[in-house]
Amino acid sequence: MSAPTLRVVHLYPRLMNIYGDRGNIMCLRHRCEARGIGFELTELGIGDRFDSAAADLIFAGGAQDREQRNVVEDLLATKADAVREAVEAAVVLLAVCGAYQLFGRFYREATGMELPGVGIFDLHTEHPGEKAKRLIGNIVAELVGPLPSSGQGGHPPITIVGFENHGGRTYLAPGVRPLAKVRSGHGNNGRDGAEGAVYRNAYGTYIHGSLLPKNPAFADHLIGLALRRRYGDVELARIDNRAEELAHRAALRLRP
Amino acid sequence: MYPAFVNPRASLAILAGKAAGTASRLLGRGGGTAIAGVVALGVDQGLVRTLSRQAAAGAIAVTGTNGKTTTSLMLNRVAAAAGLRPLHNRSGSNMMRGVAAMLVDEASISGSIADAARRLAILEVDEATLPEITREVRPRVIVFTNLFRDQLDRYGEVDTVARSWRSALRGQGTGDRGQPQEEPPTIVLNADDPAVAHLGRGYGGPVLYYGVEDASAGGDVVEHASDFRTCLECGADLAYSVTFYGHVGHWRCASCGNARPSADVRLTRVTARGDATEMAVATAGGELDILLPLTGLYNAYNALAAVAGATALGLPSEAIVSALAEFSAAFGRQERFQLDGRDVQVLLGKNPTGLNQVLRAVAARPGRKRLLFFLNDGIADGRDISWIWDTDYEVVQPQTEWALAAGTRAEDLALRLKYAGFGEYVEIERDAATALRRAIEATPAGETLYVLPTYTAMLEVREIIAKRAGEGHFWEGA
Ligand SMILES: [Zn+2]
């Protein structure tokens, strides 16, 4: 059998990229290529059609308000149905920051107006008004769901580290699994200790920018899920993680 | 309107500010200047207005993401060459308190600025401080350099900055109580930056555009660190016939016809000449030939902005040409030191667009490179270091002989450099002095070491080098 290939679809790379999201794509590519796994990247922008059968992993990042408005319209008109279809078919999705909010059920502005989302995650986001503080800073959280070994059977919890910067507060519907438990930082809303959300193989998180490069265990988890869905049992070979682990450990010590 | 007779409140504020500044200096607090401003403004909120408006030649403000320190220092030198005495907030203290501290330092305790008849205020202004400065100082001219993502955790998104600039300009053209003001400020805009050029649309006062005409200075690659790729009028994608860096270039919206305005001050030819840049600049007053002793297209842009600002002020061409020819860089921007027989060049890079420019300038130099990168996450650097993933470290990697990652976030930087292909030789050193010593040791005598710090790291490096080279402290002048 020929070597597997990871087919990644990056939604709106030009409009939704403000927090160094490119690092996440670079990471997926690097961790595939270092193992001899093929890597194919498709970038979809305004007006491009999304073929749910052509993706193993979908990535979407953060955007500025102005661009987010352009994106929402296009997303709902041309891609939302196909993304939902893909997620139901267990395709992996990683939605960061602005995209995480967008893939919830709705976003309630400070004025009370509600903007509809794609509805992949059963959650909503509220903006508490211009006077409320943005939730900004370094964050450390412990994965609770996606990696079976995290915090179970004597395994220490697996941490994810990074930076968050969001005005909106996100609330999960009852029964929705958060991605992680906040150890230091704010997370979804700064109150309930939850960070991110998981639905099937779709992951939403506020941890932006260099999320995947210095969280190699989580990056490999996503790659493994995506490849196993199409190729059955795929073993990810060990690769050199020294720089990644140094950066991860250093981030555990940062003040929030 | 604000005569220099004794104003008790201002006098008290100046006295308190001067005392605080002296105390801070005696305690050895580096710079110390902002403290004087904080204290003085606490006593008299209107102090900046009272003092700055005494300058008979008025004020020019310079703002934007990158280049405002260098551009305002260039204007300082041009003004001095034209016989004026600048009131200039140097040392990078570009918020209200920094401007106040500078004015307190220049004022007598009776509340008057000495030699007011020859004074021109040259204010480097933080992007977010512009509305306040505009209201208090009423500058004759405002120069806008460019607008890029920088410290999203501090300034918010670039759109927030653009909005605050528009609100600063909206009030112009009306007086303090809403009556028509005689002369709204001339705004000097970078035609090549769509976000900056957009400020000219519908502005009620005079607009002067500057831009680079020489297309050979550009390329057709759009960098990742581009922020305004869509039309601010209609939201469609912008098309570029040439890109100089980031989203700066010759742009046009195919959908609504919004396009780069034609420039009044034009860089018609730009040529690198070793450590200098040859520039031909067309202005309404004729063509200027400038030999700028700095490299990098970003410095040509800084000089072009300074020429446009000086033109708007009506300063003579001879002063512009001679001052720029004798220009030496603002501290840390492009400084050179001799240290243990090595040529050490310090090049500030504090956001992806700025650092991309620096990296390209370094890559254009001949020879194998030794590089000392610093990444700090202090408040003044921006605590979010995600921007390193938008920076093209790859452009210097093929010519790199040796590299070291230093600073408070050295591990993140080392990881980014691994991805840029530096993996086999990049090491980590968190202590600045040790990092510099190791870098000197790794550089053979007679060769060049390039030091690329973020803002607070630049201050640290400059202190260490100044101590070793027996120079003055950084706040004593740039
Ligand atoms: Zn348009």
Side-chain angles (χ1 to χ4, degrees), chain A residues 166-183:
Chain A
H166 51 105
R169 270 71 165 169
T170 295
Y171 298 93
L172 309 183
V176 174
R177 201 173 75 188
L179 171 65
K181 194 171 73 189
V182 176
R183 189 189 283 179

Side-chain angles (χ1 to χ4, degrees), chain B residues 359 363 367-369 371 392-402 420-422 425:
Chain B
L359 292 170
R368 306 286 297 168
K369 309 298 186 318
L371 305 171
D392 302 330
Y393 294 93
E394 285 80 358
V395 299
V396 286
Q397 187 278 330
Q399 330 155 18
T400 300
E401 184 77 29
W402 182 91
F422 289 66
Y425 41 81

